[in-house]
Amino acid sequence: VRITPLSSDVEELSRLWGMSQRNFHRLSVLYRVSSVVLEPDVPTTSPLPVTDRVVTVSQLRQPRVASVTSSARDVAVVEFGEVVVVAGEALRGSVTEVVLGEQRRSPATGTDVELRVPFDAASTLRAGVYALQVRHRIELPGGQLRDGAASNTMPVALVTRVPTAGLTVDAIPHPDPANPDQILRVHLLPEPLPDASQSIELSLTSTADGVRRTSTDSQPDGADGVLFQFTPPPPSGTYLVRLTVDGAESLLVQDGAGNFVAPAAVVP
């Protein structure tokens, strides 16, 4: 900001203080405060000359997203193996893409009011919390595509699926006998595991006392699962298992009484 002092006479100051209900006056100094735009020096390059000019005319349709839900529930939480359902208006264009963060996918099926994008191994989508947007692309002569109209954005969480049956947790002693830490191997469904650029957290909640223990120290273990190191190691018992990837936490299953019962595993 730029601060500049202003010159004022006694009459102006008396009018200023006259708007106050106080019966005393103080020596006042006036300043003008304004913003200053700083333009950094950005290096530029000279592009190659234009050799061809192409004019393309296309109908501009403005897509609008009204809701994003899962094929299994009416909330914007989609578990691995389910389908992302996008509802709205004018969603389908000549070339339609569903954008989740930096990931772009073509819908498997689509109409003007609904688009469907599977969240499975074939889609190669990553788990996480995203801002979803529908984007129309314009095809130019020669097959080139350019971005066209884009919809509003809606949040959606793609969560990892932890198996509710057959889940095993193996306690592996630390290679260093003097280290009391414990390494747990969690066997997950055969789905693409998040890469090292994503944050991963394993949460174990005891069914006995409700204490939650977490670990972010993880590494892939080939086809067997993921290794998590706990400090200190959790006591033996039964635990509810949740996996959080980039802020998207896996779901728990409830019984008829509303109690969380799965996915669960026994720590030896």
Side-chain angles (χ1 to χ4, degrees):
V1 295
R2 175 188 289 116
I3 302 176
T4 307
L6 297 179
S7 60
S8 57
D9 53 25
V10 177
E11 182 179 357
E12 290 178 341
L13 291 178
S14 63
R15 291 177 180 176
L16 176 65
W17 281 106
M19 294 184 295
S20 174
Q21 299 299 323
R22 299 179 182 271
N23 55 7
F24 62 87
H25 298 144
R26 294 182 179 178
L27 180 62
S28 302
V29 180
L30 303 182
Y31 293 91
R32 174 184 288 116
V33 180
S34 58
S35 61
V36 179
V37 179
L38 302 180
E39 298 183 359
D41 295 331
V42 179
T44 59
T45 58
S46 178
L48 295 175
V50 176
T51 59
D52 191 15
R53 295 170 178 82
V54 178
V55 178
T56 301
V57 179
S58 62
Q59 181 182 6
L60 181 62
R61 305 185 66 203
Q62 184 65 44
R64 186 183 73 86
V65 176
S67 65
V68 179
T69 59
S70 167
S71 57
R73 64 192 63 82
D74 292 333
V75 293
V77 179
V78 184
E79 193 175 45
F80 183 85
E82 299 173 352
V83 177
V84 181
V85 181
V86 183
E89 300 175 357
L91 297 179
R92 190 172 181 179
S94 57
V95 179
T96 308
E97 288 183 343
V98 177
V99 183
L100 298 103
E102 297 182 356
Q103 307 178 80
R104 296 190 175 207
R105 297 294 183 273
S106 298
T109 59
T111 63
D112 274 349
V113 296
E114 182 181 278
L115 301 177
R116 287 178 169 255
V117 180
F119 176 37
D120 52 19
S123 69
T124 67
L125 287 172
R126 294 292 190 180
V129 179
Y130 298 99
L132 182 145
Q133 185 181 57
V134 175
R135 185 176 293 275
H136 293 170
R137 308 203 72 189
I138 301 174
E139 186 174 359
L140 302 179
Q144 294 182 346
L145 294 177
R146 293 290 185 269
D147 287 338
S151 71
N152 56 306
T153 59
M154 297 286 284
V156 61
L158 305 182
V159 301
T160 302
R161 183 182 179 191
V162 180
T164 57
L167 178 65
T168 59
V169 178
D170 302 330
I172 306 173
H174 198 278
D176 183 4
N179 194 326
D181 296 350
Q182 191 176 51
I183 299 176
L184 302 182
R185 177 186 287 117
V186 180
H187 299 269
L188 303 175
L189 288 176
E191 62 178 277
L193 297 176
D195 53 32
S197 64
Q198 293 186 296
S199 61
I200 309 173
E201 179 184 83
L202 176 67
S203 172
L204 301 178
T205 304
S206 174
T207 57
D209 54 16
V211 176
R212 180 175 178 176
R213 297 167 175 84
T214 60
S215 173
T216 57
D217 188 358
S218 64
Q219 60 181 356
D221 187 29
D224 293 332
V226 183
L227 296 178
F228 290 89
Q229 180 172 317
F230 280 82
T231 307
S236 300
T238 303
Y239 293 85
L240 294 173
V241 180
R242 282 173 288 177
L243 190 67
T244 303
V245 180
D246 278 355
E249 187 176 79
S250 61
L251 302 176
L252 294 175
V253 179
Q254 294 177 280
D255 59 11
N259 300 315
F260 294 113
V261 295
V266 177
V267 175

